[in-house]
Amino acid sequence: MCVHPEEERVRGRARQWLKAWRANPETGPGSAFQQEMDGLMRLGFEIRRATSWDEMFQRTDEILAQYPHKTVALKYRGISQVNRMALAASTLTAEERSQAESDLRRAVNEYPDDQQLVLHLARWHVLEAEVQDRVRVDRTKVTRLRDKAVALTGETGQRHPDDVDRRIDHVSVLMSLNRLEAMEPHIDMLGHQANSVPVSPLVTTNVVQLLLRRHALSADPGNTRAFSDLLSRAVQL
């Protein structure tokens, strides 16, 4: 089987990091653990390697069995479970889904401005609402879950109004819930922000993808000039 070169590099580093962590179980910035989590996140998001989330769960679960109060391990165990829910929610039990929410909530309480934490806690609410909707539970519970997802990304966006990534997160949540009317002012602002301030190629690509999805979902084309300018930038990346 052909293995992506980046995947092979990360796997090799992961083996080294795990050995280093077992010798010195630190989890702070720059630690072997943090480097391993960053590598698995890249594989999961950029290369779409689904097994990255399984590996992340196994690593963090191992750490938490020995050090149950390691907040950063709670963060990544929760993140891994949310992404596993997104891939196959039916394979996670209600207890496992509840544990993921608890992990993320505990971590957010300590790091309320951690973007990935807030986004994944919001995604948990979106995904849990889908699960509950399928089993036909009380509709008010489904609505509460979805409203909480919107509130989480909306509140962090209000605290960081110039952060394009956080606005992308909020728009993504609104779009996943088909709340197009609430999404419109934010997605127009995204186009403006990405065109007027320096952003990374990845952010530009994410904005373009959201704009394309908006155009596909909405009869109103929105600010076509801003969209055209942004798309021109994206194709030059």
Side-chain angles (χ1 to χ4, degrees):
M1 182 178 67
C2 182
V3 177
H4 193 288
E6 177 64 14
E7 180 176 346
E8 187 57 42
R9 283 194 293 272
V10 171
R11 280 180 172 177
R13 289 196 297 267
R15 288 190 289 269
Q16 295 173 356
W17 295 331
L18 183 59
K19 181 179 179 180
W21 178 83
R22 283 172 171 157
N24 182 26
E26 291 298 323
T27 55
S31 65
F33 171 79
Q34 185 63 63
Q35 292 178 62
E36 182 182 8
M37 294 300 103
D38 289 344
L40 290 171
M41 291 275 279
R42 285 197 302 274
L43 286 176
F45 286 129
E46 297 175 21
I47 302 179
R48 307 293 184 188
R49 186 167 75 91
T51 55
S52 297
W53 309 119
D54 298 327
E55 291 177 30
M56 182 179 288
F57 175 78
Q58 291 163 4
R59 299 280 196 269
T60 52
D61 203 45
E62 175 185 336
I63 291 171
L64 289 164
Q66 300 178 61
Y67 306 95
H69 302 296
K70 285 279 189 182
T71 305
V72 71
L74 289 170
K75 166 185 172 176
Y76 287 109
R77 186 169 71 176
I79 286 176
S80 70
Q81 289 292 69
V82 168
N83 284 287
R84 293 170 88 195
M85 284 175 68
L87 292 168
S90 60
T91 65
L92 268 68
T93 66
E95 182 179 359
E96 289 171 329
R97 299 196 312 273
S98 179
Q99 181 66 65
E101 190 268 343
S102 175
D103 287 350
L104 292 168
R105 182 166 33 80
R106 289 170 62 190
V108 165
N109 285 340
E110 187 161 340
Y111 304 114
D113 282 330
D114 185 307
Q115 180 205 347
Q116 284 292 339
L117 262 176
V118 174
L119 172 61
H120 279 82
L121 185 55
R123 288 184 63 205
W124 181 91
H125 283 80
V126 171
L127 293 165
E128 183 64 18
E130 292 177 2
V131 172
Q132 299 298 331
D133 199 26
R134 284 197 294 271
V135 298
R136 301 291 190 270
V137 299
D138 183 356
R139 293 293 304 172
T140 58
K141 181 177 182 179
V142 174
T143 300
R144 284 198 304 271
L145 286 165
R146 290 171 174 163
D147 288 346
K148 181 62 175 178
V150 172
L152 283 162
T153 53
E155 288 165 5
T156 191
Q158 288 175 358
R159 293 196 299 273
H160 303 274
D162 297 325
D163 190 322
V164 177
D165 285 320
R166 292 175 197 268
R167 194 177 295 274
I168 288 173
D169 293 345
H170 189 50
V171 169
S172 297
V173 167
L174 290 168
M175 191 175 289
S176 70
L177 297 173
N178 204 35
R179 298 189 179 184
L180 304 185
E181 186 173 343
M183 178 188 76
E184 287 301 322
H186 296 286
I187 205 164
D188 286 338
M189 180 61 73
L190 266 180
H192 172 74
Q193 284 181 300
N195 270 317
S196 60
V197 299
V199 294
S200 70
L202 180 59
V203 169
T204 299
T205 301
N206 288 341
V207 174
V208 168
Q209 289 175 342
L210 285 174
L211 288 169
L212 286 169
R213 289 172 63 193
R214 191 275 295 270
H215 278 242
L217 291 169
S218 176
D220 179 6
N223 188 338
T224 54
R225 175 59 184 275
F227 174 68
S228 176
D229 290 346
L230 191 60
L231 188 58
S232 296
R233 284 177 58 185
V235 298
Q236 295 171 15
L237 297 178

